[in-house]
Amino acid sequence: MSFNIRVATRNDVGIIYDFIVGLAKYEKLTHQVTATIEKLNHSLFDLKEAEVLIGEENGLPVSFMLFFSNYSTFLGQSNIYLEDLYVHEVYRHKGYGTKMLTYLAQLCVKRSVQRLDWSCLDWNESAIDFYEKLGAKKMSQWLLFRLEGSHLLAVANEEKKPL
């Protein structure tokens, strides 16, 4: 069996969407998926807001990885944030996740990136073990925060309120 990693193209939008839905099912978060093929096509290929790699076994898409640049003020440069890495469950335990992360690490080195960051759900012990075996360290002193929905709108409108 051969495994190949390639850059996703506009023709892969349906495949990318299917991987996102598969990941959401695995994480029990399908209720949060509002992405559509149209949104993905626009954000990934018109606006180029993120990059996607597709992993293929014998030409069949079996994994994907979506990442984008972020900026570290302390380092004074852009780095890479890995948003999603997903290997279809039938193809797990074949080393494809390691190959995908190795490819991204090589891309980081090629781009002179000093840091690759990502998040992981705290219940996903197999992923945590996998990442730690690679030498990744948990950033336990950092907490992830998010503003969304009505809370985001409330903060955005805060300045409009009279003091």
Side-chain angles (χ1 to χ4, degrees):
M1 284 183 248
S2 74
F3 184 75
N4 181 55
I5 300 169
R6 64 175 177 79
V7 175
T9 68
R10 193 178 292 273
N11 293 334
D12 294 314
V13 173
I15 294 166
I16 295 166
Y17 178 79
D18 289 344
F19 278 127
I20 291 169
V21 171
L23 175 62
K25 284 179 185 174
Y26 174 75
E27 294 180 342
K28 299 171 183 59
L29 296 172
T30 53
H31 61 282
Q32 292 186 11
V33 177
T34 61
T36 63
I37 289 174
E38 294 77 21
K39 278 175 144 178
L40 292 169
N41 190 42
H42 182 63
S43 66
L44 295 175
F45 299 104
D46 295 333
L47 301 178
K48 300 186 185 314
E49 293 177 328
E51 299 175 64
V52 178
L53 299 173
I54 305 284
E56 297 177 327
E57 181 184 270
N58 298 324
L60 178 70
V62 299
S63 62
F64 97 116
M65 189 164 26
L66 186 144
F67 60 96
F68 52 87
S69 293
N70 62 1
Y71 193 86
S72 168
T73 54
F74 289 3
L75 295 176
Q77 73 175 71
S78 292
N79 295 288
I80 288 181
Y81 186 84
L82 172 59
E83 179 66 24
D84 289 321
L85 168 60
Y86 178 73
V87 178
H88 189 283
E89 65 182 316
V90 175
Y91 298 92
R92 291 186 192 141
H93 308 290
K94 293 185 169 193
Y96 296 161
T98 301
K99 289 180 180 188
M100 296 289 284
L101 273 173
T102 298
Y103 188 98
L104 188 56
Q106 291 169 348
L107 186 63
C108 288
V109 171
K110 181 178 177 183
R111 294 181 182 181
S112 299
V113 165
Q114 294 183 23
R115 198 163 66 197
L116 172 60
D117 294 317
W118 65 90
S119 300
C120 180
L121 291 169
D122 61 359
W123 58 260
N124 195 342
E125 290 297 327
S126 64
I128 293 168
D129 291 344
F130 168 63
Y131 298 142
E132 288 178 336
K133 284 178 185 167
L134 292 175
K137 57 184 177 181
K138 281 190 244 179
M139 303 299 291
S140 58
Q141 70 273 31
W142 293 93
L143 299 175
L144 180 65
F145 287 88
R146 176 176 292 152
L147 273 176
E148 63 183 349
S150 61
H151 297 287
L152 178 62
L153 292 173
V155 171
N157 290 318
E158 195 63 34
E159 212 172 275
K160 295 178 183 176
K161 291 182 182 178
L163 297 175

